[in-house]
Amino acid sequence: MRALMTKLEQATALDRTGDRLQRAVQATLRPQRVRDLLHGVFLGHPLHPAMVQVPVGAWISAAVVDLLPGQRRAATTLVALGTVSAVPAAVAGLNDWAELSRDQRRVGLVHAAANTVGLTLYAGSLVARLTGRHGVGRALAYLGLGAASAGAYLGGHLAYKQGAQVSQSVSELHRMGDGWRPVADLAGLPQRTLVTREVDDVSVILYRHGDEVTVMLERCPHQSGPLGEGEVQEIDGHACVVCPWHGSAFRLNGGEVVHGPSATDQQILPTRVVDGTLQTRLP
Ligand code: FES
């Protein structure tokens, strides 16, 4: 299975279809507010994995209820719930998928295809049940569960092996030692300008506003883009750093994400000034 997944990650034959679909998704899912909602910016976590709990839960429950006598109505209700709720979950997933790296998009494309097959089989199951053909409905539902399970396996690979929509920055903290570390001479720090520094080999950005200085991890939580090369923009009255790779924006006075594709906040580090030297440490 591992060799198969490696081949899938490297399957360049999928890129033409993937690139077309990516352009179509980016052209369709607008404006930015809608994309942010679907990414889960308001939650501080990706929305897609939370949304899929509903169809997965409903479909698995239907598979159990289908084994019990006299439960046709309950099974039909569960299949309907799963089928309807899978649609917005798929839209949120497509929105995340369109901002992934190429190797992730290849696996994501097959993940989406497997789930589309599953959803189609469940839709057929629902129609069969509503027209009184419960045996056919049951068979289609079990086939749908098989396809959705394959999709779930690919989704797990995408998240846990390839790190899609998982914060890429927070593991940087594991490379920092305990205790306060000197990071800059406060007097030499320019106002309202991003400055990049290293703390124990961990890259951070500094942003001075008056006597307040923000120290933030430099690696973007979305796909490790260099925030130190990003722009500072005023968004909703707050100074934010905008990632140069895909445009995620984070408040410089707290690290909260204000625009995706990142759904997670960026880590801010505590600061203090001792004898004119700015120091920082682990949170
Ligand atoms: S790396 Fe994608 S938004 Fe920063």
Side-chain angles (χ1 to χ4, degrees):
M1 189 58 91
R2 288 189 176 92
L4 189 65
M5 293 310 297
T6 303
K7 274 193 182 151
L8 183 53
E9 289 174 15
Q10 298 166 352
T12 53
L14 295 171
D15 291 346
R16 219 167 138 201
T17 306
D19 290 351
R20 274 192 195 150
L21 182 61
Q22 183 191 34
R23 284 194 292 275
V25 170
Q26 288 173 335
T28 306
L29 294 179
R30 292 177 179 214
Q32 178 75 47
R33 199 173 298 175
V34 172
R35 285 206 292 267
D36 287 344
L37 179 75
L38 292 169
H39 282 308
V41 166
F42 71 101
L43 270 181
H45 292 281
L47 186 60
H48 173 66
M51 291 183 85
V52 299
Q53 304 305 312
V54 182
V56 168
W59 287 341
I60 290 176
S61 302
V64 175
V65 169
D66 264 339
L67 297 174
L68 306 174
Q71 297 296 331
R72 285 179 172 176
R73 209 165 161 186
T76 302
T77 304
L78 286 165
V79 167
L81 174 65
T83 304
V84 170
S85 61
V87 176
V91 173
L94 274 173
N95 188 48
D96 288 346
W97 171 85
E99 305 294 343
L100 296 179
S101 61
R102 264 234 159 103
D103 58 319
Q104 293 170 332
R105 285 206 307 274
R106 291 171 191 145
V107 176
L109 192 64
V110 183
H111 163 73
N115 285 330
T116 302
V117 170
L119 179 56
T120 305
L121 287 164
Y122 272 107
S125 168
L126 182 60
V127 171
R129 289 166 196 261
L130 291 174
T131 52
R133 292 168 296 150
H134 289 273
V136 175
R138 263 199 299 274
L140 289 174
Y142 283 118
L143 288 172
L145 189 60
S149 299
Y153 176 84
L154 290 160
H157 183 87
L158 200 50
Y160 299 116
K161 197 271 183 178
Q162 294 183 285
Q165 293 304 93
V166 171
S167 172
Q168 303 294 316
S169 61
V170 77
S171 57
E172 296 274 282
L173 297 176
H174 302 152
R175 294 197 287 121
M176 268 181 72
D178 289 329
W180 289 99
R181 302 283 201 269
V183 65
D185 177 15
L186 182 63
L189 274 182
Q191 291 282 349
R192 301 180 185 227
T193 304
L194 294 177
V195 173
T196 307
R197 289 281 190 276
E198 299 282 317
V199 181
D200 291 353
D201 290 335
V202 174
S203 194
V204 295
I205 53 174
L206 316 181
Y207 181 76
R208 182 175 181 183
H209 182 198
D211 282 340
E212 299 289 318
V213 183
T214 294
V215 178
M216 174 187 271
L217 292 178
E218 198 216 357
R219 206 170 145 182
C220 177
H222 177 235
Q223 297 265 300
S224 306
L227 293 181
E229 295 171 23
E231 272 183 27
V232 176
Q233 287 181 15
E234 186 99 349
I235 301 174
D236 298 334
H238 296 272
C240 296
V241 56
V242 179
C243 179
W245 283 9
H246 312 104
S248 290
F250 306 92
R251 278 188 192 168
L252 281 160
N253 64 354
E256 293 91 350
V257 60
V258 293
H259 290 313
S262 175
T264 52
D265 299 338
Q266 179 59 311
Q267 184 68 55
I268 296 284
L269 302 182
T271 57
R272 72 178 184 185
V273 177
V274 176
D275 296 334
T277 299
L278 178 72
Q279 298 182 346
T280 191
R281 65 167 169 79
L282 286 170

mmCIF file of all heavy atoms in Angstrom, residues 175-184 198-200 270 272 277-282:
data_model
loop_
_atom_site.group_PDB
_atom_site.id
_atom_site.type_symbol
_atom_site.label_atom_id
_atom_site.label_comp_id
_atom_site.label_asym_id
_atom_site.label_seq_id
_atom_site.Cartn_x
_atom_site.Cartn_y
_atom_site.Cartn_z
ATOM 1 N N ARG A 175 12.105 22.766 18.218
ATOM 2 C CA ARG A 175 13.546 22.936 18.002
ATOM 3 C C ARG A 175 14.114 24.079 18.844
ATOM 4 O O ARG A 175 15.297 24.379 18.766
ATOM 5 C CB ARG A 175 13.824 23.187 16.516
ATOM 6 C CG ARG A 175 13.474 21.972 15.665
ATOM 7 C CD ARG A 175 14.087 22.007 14.302
ATOM 8 N NE ARG A 175 13.445 22.978 13.433
ATOM 9 C CZ ARG A 175 14.056 23.989 12.850
ATOM 10 N NH1 ARG A 175 15.331 24.189 13.044
ATOM 11 N NH2 ARG A 175 13.392 24.805 12.065
ATOM 12 N N MET A 176 13.240 24.738 19.620
ATOM 13 C CA MET A 176 13.722 25.837 20.466
ATOM 14 C C MET A 176 13.932 25.331 21.883
ATOM 15 O O MET A 176 13.127 24.562 22.403
ATOM 16 C CB MET A 176 12.687 26.976 20.503
ATOM 17 C CG MET A 176 12.916 28.036 19.458
ATOM 18 S SD MET A 176 11.686 29.350 19.584
ATOM 19 C CE MET A 176 12.199 30.186 21.080
ATOM 20 N N GLY A 177 15.013 25.773 22.493
ATOM 21 C CA GLY A 177 15.276 25.391 23.876
ATOM 22 C C GLY A 177 14.457 26.228 24.847
ATOM 23 O O GLY A 177 13.810 27.199 24.456
ATOM 24 N N ASP A 178 14.463 25.819 26.118
ATOM 25 C CA ASP A 178 13.748 26.582 27.151
ATOM 26 C C ASP A 178 14.518 27.857 27.500
ATOM 27 O O ASP A 178 15.709 27.965 27.240
ATOM 28 C CB ASP A 178 13.614 25.730 28.429
ATOM 29 C CG ASP A 178 12.627 24.591 28.228
ATOM 30 O OD1 ASP A 178 11.683 24.766 27.441
ATOM 31 O OD2 ASP A 178 12.830 23.530 28.847
ATOM 32 N N GLY A 179 13.805 28.784 28.108
ATOM 33 C CA GLY A 179 14.465 29.996 28.625
ATOM 34 C C GLY A 179 14.479 31.120 27.609
ATOM 35 O O GLY A 179 14.205 30.928 26.419
ATOM 36 N N TRP A 180 14.758 32.325 28.141
ATOM 37 C CA TRP A 180 14.773 33.520 27.287
ATOM 38 C C TRP A 180 15.980 33.500 26.362
ATOM 39 O O TRP A 180 17.064 33.108 26.762
ATOM 40 C CB TRP A 180 14.807 34.775 28.162
ATOM 41 C CG TRP A 180 13.502 35.014 28.869
ATOM 42 C CD1 TRP A 180 13.207 34.690 30.162
ATOM 43 C CD2 TRP A 180 12.325 35.606 28.318
ATOM 44 N NE1 TRP A 180 11.916 35.038 30.459
ATOM 45 C CE2 TRP A 180 11.343 35.613 29.345
ATOM 46 C CE3 TRP A 180 11.983 36.126 27.074
ATOM 47 C CZ2 TRP A 180 10.061 36.126 29.154
ATOM 48 C CZ3 TRP A 180 10.721 36.644 26.877
ATOM 49 C CH2 TRP A 180 9.763 36.633 27.910
ATOM 50 N N ARG A 181 15.776 33.937 25.132
ATOM 51 C CA ARG A 181 16.845 33.987 24.122
ATOM 52 C C ARG A 181 16.939 35.421 23.584
ATOM 53 O O ARG A 181 15.897 36.019 23.259
ATOM 54 C CB ARG A 181 16.518 33.072 22.931
ATOM 55 C CG ARG A 181 16.300 31.627 23.295
ATOM 56 C CD ARG A 181 17.680 31.023 23.532
ATOM 57 N NE ARG A 181 17.710 29.605 23.424
ATOM 58 C CZ ARG A 181 17.521 28.758 24.456
ATOM 59 N NH1 ARG A 181 17.220 29.215 25.643
ATOM 60 N NH2 ARG A 181 17.650 27.461 24.275
ATOM 61 N N PRO A 182 18.158 35.977 23.451
ATOM 62 C CA PRO A 182 18.272 37.306 22.816
ATOM 63 C C PRO A 182 17.927 37.194 21.333
ATOM 64 O O PRO A 182 18.286 36.204 20.684
ATOM 65 C CB PRO A 182 19.766 37.641 23.009
ATOM 66 C CG PRO A 182 20.445 36.332 23.184
ATOM 67 C CD PRO A 182 19.444 35.393 23.800
ATOM 68 N N VAL A 183 17.206 38.198 20.831
ATOM 69 C CA VAL A 183 16.813 38.113 19.417
ATOM 70 C C VAL A 183 17.181 39.369 18.622
ATOM 71 O O VAL A 183 17.442 39.280 17.422
ATOM 72 C CB VAL A 183 15.312 37.747 19.294
ATOM 73 C CG1 VAL A 183 14.414 38.815 19.843
ATOM 74 C CG2 VAL A 183 14.924 37.406 17.888
ATOM 75 N N ALA A 184 17.264 40.537 19.301
ATOM 76 C CA ALA A 184 17.643 41.753 18.558
ATOM 77 C C ALA A 184 17.934 42.884 19.541
ATOM 78 O O ALA A 184 17.486 42.854 20.696
ATOM 79 C CB ALA A 184 16.521 42.173 17.616
ATOM 80 N N GLU A 198 16.964 34.573 13.498
ATOM 81 C CA GLU A 198 16.988 33.149 13.867
ATOM 82 C C GLU A 198 17.051 33.043 15.387
ATOM 83 O O GLU A 198 17.807 33.771 16.029
ATOM 84 C CB GLU A 198 18.236 32.467 13.305
ATOM 85 C CG GLU A 198 18.357 32.496 11.793
ATOM 86 C CD GLU A 198 17.476 31.469 11.116
ATOM 87 O OE1 GLU A 198 17.431 30.331 11.601
ATOM 88 O OE2 GLU A 198 16.814 31.827 10.111
ATOM 89 N N VAL A 199 16.255 32.137 15.935
ATOM 90 C CA VAL A 199 16.347 31.814 17.357
ATOM 91 C C VAL A 199 16.540 30.303 17.444
ATOM 92 O O VAL A 199 15.624 29.544 17.098
ATOM 93 C CB VAL A 199 15.065 32.218 18.130
ATOM 94 C CG1 VAL A 199 15.210 31.882 19.613
ATOM 95 C CG2 VAL A 199 14.747 33.680 17.937
ATOM 96 N N ASP A 200 17.728 29.848 17.867
ATOM 97 C CA ASP A 200 18.041 28.405 17.887
ATOM 98 C C ASP A 200 17.719 27.757 16.528
ATOM 99 O O ASP A 200 17.061 26.714 16.465
ATOM 100 C CB ASP A 200 17.221 27.678 18.965
ATOM 101 C CG ASP A 200 17.655 28.053 20.362
ATOM 102 O OD1 ASP A 200 18.664 28.758 20.496
ATOM 103 O OD2 ASP A 200 16.979 27.620 21.312
ATOM 104 N N PRO A 270 6.394 35.025 23.303
ATOM 105 C CA PRO A 270 6.464 36.085 24.321
ATOM 106 C C PRO A 270 7.762 36.887 24.164
ATOM 107 O O PRO A 270 8.756 36.354 23.667
ATOM 108 C CB PRO A 270 6.475 35.308 25.648
ATOM 109 C CG PRO A 270 6.089 33.912 25.323
ATOM 110 C CD PRO A 270 6.435 33.674 23.891
ATOM 111 N N ARG A 272 10.386 40.179 26.001
ATOM 112 C CA ARG A 272 10.710 41.134 27.055
ATOM 113 C C ARG A 272 11.974 41.858 26.599
ATOM 114 O O ARG A 272 12.687 41.384 25.698
ATOM 115 C CB ARG A 272 10.921 40.442 28.408
ATOM 116 C CG ARG A 272 12.206 39.662 28.502
ATOM 117 C CD ARG A 272 12.396 39.046 29.883
ATOM 118 N NE ARG A 272 13.688 38.371 29.975
ATOM 119 C CZ ARG A 272 14.090 37.669 31.017
ATOM 120 N NH1 ARG A 272 13.298 37.524 32.080
ATOM 121 N NH2 ARG A 272 15.295 37.101 31.039
ATOM 122 N N THR A 277 18.015 44.857 25.064
ATOM 123 C CA THR A 277 18.011 43.690 24.172
ATOM 124 C C THR A 277 16.629 43.027 24.197
ATOM 125 O O THR A 277 16.101 42.715 25.269
ATOM 126 C CB THR A 277 19.070 42.659 24.625
ATOM 127 O OG1 THR A 277 20.351 43.292 24.566
ATOM 128 C CG2 THR A 277 19.071 41.441 23.706
ATOM 129 N N LEU A 278 16.050 42.832 23.009
ATOM 130 C CA LEU A 278 14.781 42.132 22.905
ATOM 131 C C LEU A 278 15.044 40.629 23.070
ATOM 132 O O LEU A 278 15.923 40.065 22.416
ATOM 133 C CB LEU A 278 14.149 42.400 21.539
ATOM 134 C CG LEU A 278 12.819 41.691 21.278
ATOM 135 C CD1 LEU A 278 11.694 42.314 22.100
ATOM 136 C CD2 LEU A 278 12.466 41.735 19.785
ATOM 137 N N GLN A 279 14.275 40.033 23.977
ATOM 138 C CA GLN A 279 14.428 38.597 24.205
ATOM 139 C C GLN A 279 13.092 37.894 23.919
ATOM 140 O O GLN A 279 12.027 38.495 24.031
ATOM 141 C CB GLN A 279 14.830 38.313 25.668
ATOM 142 C CG GLN A 279 16.153 38.921 26.049
ATOM 143 C CD GLN A 279 16.535 38.576 27.480
ATOM 144 O OE1 GLN A 279 15.710 38.111 28.270
ATOM 145 N NE2 GLN A 279 17.806 38.801 27.817
ATOM 146 N N THR A 280 13.172 36.629 23.595
ATOM 147 C CA THR A 280 11.956 35.839 23.372
ATOM 148 C C THR A 280 12.156 34.445 23.940
ATOM 149 O O THR A 280 13.275 34.038 24.243
ATOM 150 C CB THR A 280 11.609 35.785 21.861
ATOM 151 O OG1 THR A 280 10.322 35.258 21.691
ATOM 152 C CG2 THR A 280 12.598 34.926 21.073
ATOM 153 N N ARG A 281 11.060 33.754 24.083
ATOM 154 C CA ARG A 281 11.118 32.378 24.607
ATOM 155 C C ARG A 281 9.929 31.586 24.087
ATOM 156 O O ARG A 281 9.028 32.133 23.451
ATOM 157 C CB ARG A 281 11.134 32.379 26.143
ATOM 158 C CG ARG A 281 9.873 32.920 26.773
ATOM 159 C CD ARG A 281 9.821 32.594 28.257
ATOM 160 N NE ARG A 281 8.760 33.299 28.964
ATOM 161 C CZ ARG A 281 7.475 32.964 28.955
ATOM 162 N NH1 ARG A 281 7.065 31.928 28.245
ATOM 163 N NH2 ARG A 281 6.585 33.671 29.634
ATOM 164 N N LEU A 282 9.937 30.285 24.426
ATOM 165 C CA LEU A 282 8.803 29.438 24.061
ATOM 166 C C LEU A 282 7.535 29.948 24.751
ATOM 167 O O LEU A 282 7.619 30.444 25.885
ATOM 168 C CB LEU A 282 9.070 27.998 24.492
ATOM 169 C CG LEU A 282 10.078 27.210 23.671
ATOM 170 C CD1 LEU A 282 10.406 25.894 24.361
ATOM 171 C CD2 LEU A 282 9.553 26.941 22.267
#
